[in-house]
Amino acid sequence: MTTAKASDVPGLGDVTVWGESAPRAFLCVPGAGGSRRDAEGFAARAAQAGWQTAACDLPEGLLPWECVPYLHDLAARMRQRWPVLGLRATSIGAWLSLVALRDAHLEIALLQSPVLDMVGLIEQMLRQEGVSREELAEQGEIRTDSGALSWRYLTFAEDHGVRSWSVPTSIIVGERDELLPREAVDAFCRRFGADLTVVEGGAHWLHEPGELDAVARWEAAALAPRGEG
């Protein structure tokens, strides 16, 4: 499989592109701690299905008021090169993509361990740290052993809930995901008609060998033409 830097695709910026020339491409968005290099395995499977893959790194800090405009602009620039776009996103990268790309007219979305209720996740962190909404609003930001709690982040999430999503979507989650309430995943699937695959015994990151195999099978099935896989 050939690998091309974004310099080979004018206007994309700091993005890595995999695959032979094709009229359609996936935008691959990592989760926290991930990078565009993680997309290579998926890119190989996508190439077999006739897709190129353009993988990005998210702006440092994963601040939604920076990441959402970045992803929105990147998808618009990709559209100038590829008439058909898909999305492959992980964890917080999936939430940021859902906010940024809800009007991007995507062909398909593959979401791994997606954060689907960011407000609920932040409120869970507040409870765990014994911090009230009023305290967070007053202080603006509170540092904890597990990271920073931000009032601006919480209000951004409340103002940018995923209220519409018309893209054919496949989701994979671990049975024992410690970050994602299963109710939020099931509610999203019911509301927007997404397909759901659950990895038995899997945690959030799905990084163990058996979990990686399950993710690869899920990707291959989602990429297969309808009626196959």
Side-chain angles (χ1 to χ4, degrees), residues 115-194:
V115 175
L116 299 172
D117 181 10
M118 179 58 75
V119 174
L121 180 58
I122 295 173
E123 289 177 340
Q124 175 183 318
M125 295 170 64
L126 288 173
R127 290 191 296 271
Q128 291 173 342
E129 298 294 336
V131 176
S132 69
R133 284 179 62 98
E134 292 74 21
E135 289 173 315
L136 186 60
E138 182 179 348
Q139 298 186 42
E141 184 173 285
I142 297 176
R143 295 280 176 178
T144 71
D145 291 340
S146 56
L149 294 168
S150 165
W151 178 250
R152 183 181 179 187
Y153 207 119
L154 174 56
T155 55
F156 184 99
E158 290 178 329
D159 292 341
H160 295 82
V162 182
R163 299 177 180 87
S164 63
W165 186 253
S166 59
V167 181
T169 299
S170 293
I171 293 174
I172 189 169
V173 298
E175 179 187 24
R176 300 177 181 174
D177 192 309
E178 65 280 17
L179 295 180
L180 305 181
R182 180 62 182 275
E183 311 84 71
V185 176
D186 290 341
F188 182 95
C189 291
R190 286 194 302 270
R191 184 175 183 183
F192 301 117

Side-chain angles (χ1 to χ4, degrees), residues 29-76:
V29 183
S35 80
R36 54 189 172 171
R37 294 185 297 275
D38 301 332
E40 189 167 4
F42 169 75
R45 287 180 280 278
Q48 292 178 343
W51 293 77
Q52 290 183 270
T53 298
C56 69
D57 290 327
L58 289 168
E60 188 175 353
L62 301 179
L63 301 174
W65 45 89
E66 295 179 357
C67 293
V68 167
Y70 167 74
L71 290 171
H72 184 274
D73 181 62
L74 177 55

Side-chain angles (χ1 to χ4, degrees), residues 1 3 43 53 67 79 81-82 108 136 147 151 164 170 194 211:
M1 180 177 63
T3 301
T53 298
C67 293
R79 183 76 68 184
R81 169 62 180 82
W82 293 285
I108 185 175
L136 186 60
W151 178 250
S164 63
S170 293
E211 297 169 353

